[in-house]
Amino acid sequence: MTERQIQLTDPRALRAYAHPTRMMLTGLLRREGPFTATRAAELTGESVASCSYHLRVLAKFGLVEEAEGGHGRQKPWRATARFTDWPGYSDDPAVAEAADALTVAVAENYFQKMTKALETRRELSRAWQEAEQFGDRWLHLTPEELVALGAKVDELLETFADRDTDPALRPDGAERVSFLRIAFLDRDTAAPAGHPAADDPAPGNDPAHQPAPDPAEE
């Protein structure tokens, strides 16, 4: 793996990555790779043929690549980057639609993982049960302030980044933790004056009746 981040902007790539098996394979390669389609099948429960197909699709869009050694189904694959990024906004309707669909797919994946973690948390030690976090809070921010807040969180998280690639830097007792970041405009409150939803309400678009927004391994 040579790059820190890969940016997806092609609608075809965005739609391809939204497949749950492909997201799973990419994440596994980033954590456990390189490995072959046979090993991928063992890790995912999918067939070797299915994993081989999905790995080729991921390679087509630059998310994975063949590693050295092996041949046929025994050739190893590796991830090309540690993180995947895609547009939060686009003037191109095709890109915007595909990006939103990917964000929803990732959110559904997060929800499944979070639900499993909550259902099995009693299997953890007391220290980890008390350390895990689950909650939210309201903030009154401008878009610019929310971006700045995200940058500060990035800076804080970056202090632990080297531990991903260098196990010697991990202190005793350190385990891999999933840290989710979700921030969205609260649709459950009345829109403030000047907000489009307040100035031009439309039937069926009342914020009080909109579905809860979906949040967006690396």
Side-chain angles (χ1 to χ4, degrees):
M1 190 185 311
T2 58
E3 299 295 331
R4 178 175 176 79
Q5 181 171 285
I6 183 170
Q7 178 83 21
L8 301 183
T9 56
D10 185 334
R12 296 171 301 171
L14 293 164
R15 289 192 294 269
Y17 187 55
H19 192 286
T21 300
R22 292 168 198 158
M23 285 192 287
M24 186 190 327
L25 286 170
T26 303
L28 285 170
L29 280 170
R30 289 169 177 172
R31 296 193 304 270
E32 313 291 344
F35 54 66
T36 65
T38 300
R39 177 57 177 159
E42 295 172 354
L43 292 171
T44 64
E46 299 283 331
S47 69
V48 175
S50 175
C51 288
S52 180
Y53 167 74
H54 288 304
L55 286 166
R56 292 196 303 271
V57 173
L58 290 168
K60 177 180 178 180
F61 295 106
L63 287 151
V64 307
E65 63 186 6
E66 292 184 21
E68 295 180 357
H71 61 277
R73 290 183 175 177
Q74 298 309 311
K75 62 185 177 186
W77 296 85
R78 64 185 177 191
T80 58
R82 290 177 58 198
F83 303 103
T84 307
D85 191 26
W86 59 92
Y89 172 83
S90 176
D91 289 321
D92 186 331
V95 174
E97 181 179 359
D100 287 346
L102 174 54
T103 299
V104 171
V106 171
E108 291 172 344
N109 185 40
Y110 285 163
F111 179 77
Q112 291 176 0
K113 290 182 178 180
M114 184 178 66
T115 299
K116 181 179 179 180
L118 292 173
E119 290 174 344
T120 60
R121 68 186 310 273
R122 291 198 178 188
E123 300 173 7
L124 303 176
S125 67
R126 175 177 176 176
W128 276 112
Q129 288 189 53
E130 293 180 339
E132 287 189 335
Q133 302 175 30
F134 182 81
D136 69 317
R137 65 176 299 171
W138 291 325
L139 300 172
H140 288 80
L141 303 172
T142 65
E144 294 77 15
E145 287 173 331
L146 183 55
V147 170
L149 177 60
K152 290 181 180 179
V153 174
D154 281 340
E155 184 178 354
L156 179 60
L157 295 177
E158 192 63 26
T159 62
F160 304 100
D162 289 342
R163 297 182 184 183
D164 288 345
T165 55
D166 189 352
L169 297 176
R170 303 169 192 171
D172 291 341
E175 301 284 352
R176 189 173 69 237
V177 172
S178 290
F179 188 93
L180 303 184
R181 287 175 52 194
I182 303 168
F184 52 85
L185 192 64
D186 191 350
R187 275 77 152 176
D188 293 332
T189 57
H195 191 280
D199 297 337
D200 187 23
N205 287 331
D206 184 342
H209 296 89
Q210 289 186 0
D214 288 306
E217 181 182 269
E218 264 177 29

